[in-house]
Amino acid sequence: MQLLVNIDHIATLRNARGEGYPVPAQAAQICEMAGAAGIVFHLRGDRRHIKDHDLPALKEVVQGILDFEMAATEEMIELLHQLQPDICTLVPESREELTTEGGLNLAAVFKDFETRVFPAIRDGANGSKIEISLFVDPNLDDIKGAIELGSDAIELHTGTYANASTPSAARAELTRLATAAKIAHSAGLKVNAGHGLNQNNLAPFLRAVPHLADISIGHALISESVFHGLATTVHAYMTIIEQVKEEQS
Ligand code: PXP
């Protein structure tokens, strides 16, 4: 398991004043120097945080994994092909939401993904491997759908776990996440995860859910970095991950 830092909210801060700073690509460099395995960004249709000009800058500086989170639109697939990142994480997107609110409804998009989206992404990959990851809730139907589509990976939506209002609700969601991870892993899919993770809820999640690969963390980490510095905050998350890895070894 390894940390990928989502740097969208560096762009949120920049855009709040319409200035050229702070620069998302510079944040990406600091995160990687502090030990993060890679960087995630979400280019939304409304460009509310990351902008098109951030993409080549991120591609140029990121040395580890670059994960392009996007809706499955023609426009985004075109930009994906221009950028050639390592991972393409497909998410649902609606204009009204403050953040991605849940996983893909795979039953609803299955045909479109099978006939248009997956072939288009793979055809334009220019022989290089862009891993396709589907952001899904931990329910059996969606995991089966991801397997049937031949996805390379899933990203488990951890938001319901992170926002659980009672310890027993959190425990129940961890059980669902663990079951989903086992099924996806046994079918050969890589298991990523993210949304709403922070320094309090990360360790219990990592202990409960097996087979985790890339853990994507943004809002809490970037927020904490305002007080403690970006490198220090990345280190704090890395320490949690390393500690759980050590317990499990
Ligand atoms: N994974 C996905 C698919 C997301 O949409 C987000 C939020 O942009 C994250 C992970 C990171 O979530 P957070 O910002 O709550 O850490």
Side-chain angles (χ1 to χ4, degrees):
M1 63 182 92
Q2 56 186 9
L3 175 67
L4 303 194
V5 179
N6 178 314
I7 44 79
D8 291 350
H9 295 301
I10 298 290
T12 304
L13 191 55
R14 173 191 64 193
N15 302 347
R17 285 283 291 268
E19 302 284 357
Y21 63 87
V23 179
Q26 205 178 336
Q29 279 180 304
I30 294 169
C31 292
E32 287 201 310
M33 280 191 307
I39 300 298
V40 188
F41 67 91
H42 182 181
L43 182 70
R44 298 185 70 105
D46 63 11
R47 310 300 199 266
R48 69 174 71 156
H49 37 57
I50 294 295
K51 310 273 188 203
D52 296 55
H53 68 81
D54 291 313
L55 274 57
L58 286 166
K59 175 77 176 179
E60 195 181 324
V61 303
V62 172
Q63 310 272 316
I65 296 166
L66 185 60
D67 181 348
F68 184 168
E69 195 186 309
M70 57 181 246
T73 62
E74 296 295 327
E75 179 195 26
M76 290 300 149
I77 293 171
E78 172 69 37
L79 289 166
L80 176 82
H81 289 151
Q82 284 170 23
L83 194 69
Q84 301 283 325
D86 302 287
I87 307 178
C88 159
T89 298
L90 295 171
V91 298
E93 196 174 295
S94 93
R95 273 185 183 269
E96 297 76 32
E97 67 191 3
L98 290 177
T99 180
T100 313
E101 286 171 346
L104 293 156
N105 178 349
L106 273 195
V109 299
F110 191 94
K111 264 271 152 287
D112 182 42
F113 275 27
E114 187 179 41
T115 56
R116 177 184 68 91
V117 177
F118 274 52
I121 290 175
R122 291 194 165 133
D123 285 353
N126 263 348
S128 68
K129 174 84 181 147
I130 301 178
E131 176 183 295
I132 302 180
S133 179
L134 300 176
F135 186 55
V136 289
D137 292 313
N139 69 60
L140 207 56
D141 286 345
D142 287 331
I143 306 302
K144 279 189 192 154
I147 295 166
E148 237 176 281
L149 275 168
S151 190
D152 301 298
I154 51 164
E155 179 179 331
L156 288 171
H157 174 229
T158 51
T160 306
Y161 158 66
N163 295 325
S165 52
T166 63
S168 73
R171 278 196 299 275
E173 190 62 13
L174 284 177
T175 303
R176 274 169 26 99
L177 286 159
T179 304
K182 284 177 200 159
I183 295 167
H185 175 78
S186 66
L189 273 67
K190 187 178 155 203
V191 181
N192 302 328
H195 213 284
L197 295 172
N198 59 40
Q199 290 192 50
N200 294 322
N201 64 25
L202 180 59
F205 169 69
L206 298 180
R207 288 189 185 109
V209 181
H211 312 304
L212 292 168
D214 302 336
I215 313 296
S216 161
I217 305 182
H219 188 258
L221 188 157
I222 300 300
S223 303
E224 288 154 358
S225 77
V226 174
F227 292 160
H228 303 292
L230 188 51
T232 304
T233 309
V234 168
H235 272 300
Y237 280 85
M238 300 277 300
T239 302
I240 294 169
I241 292 173
E242 290 309 319
Q243 204 172 322
V244 175
K245 272 164 105 169
E246 210 166 292
E247 288 167 17
Q248 292 175 344
S249 66

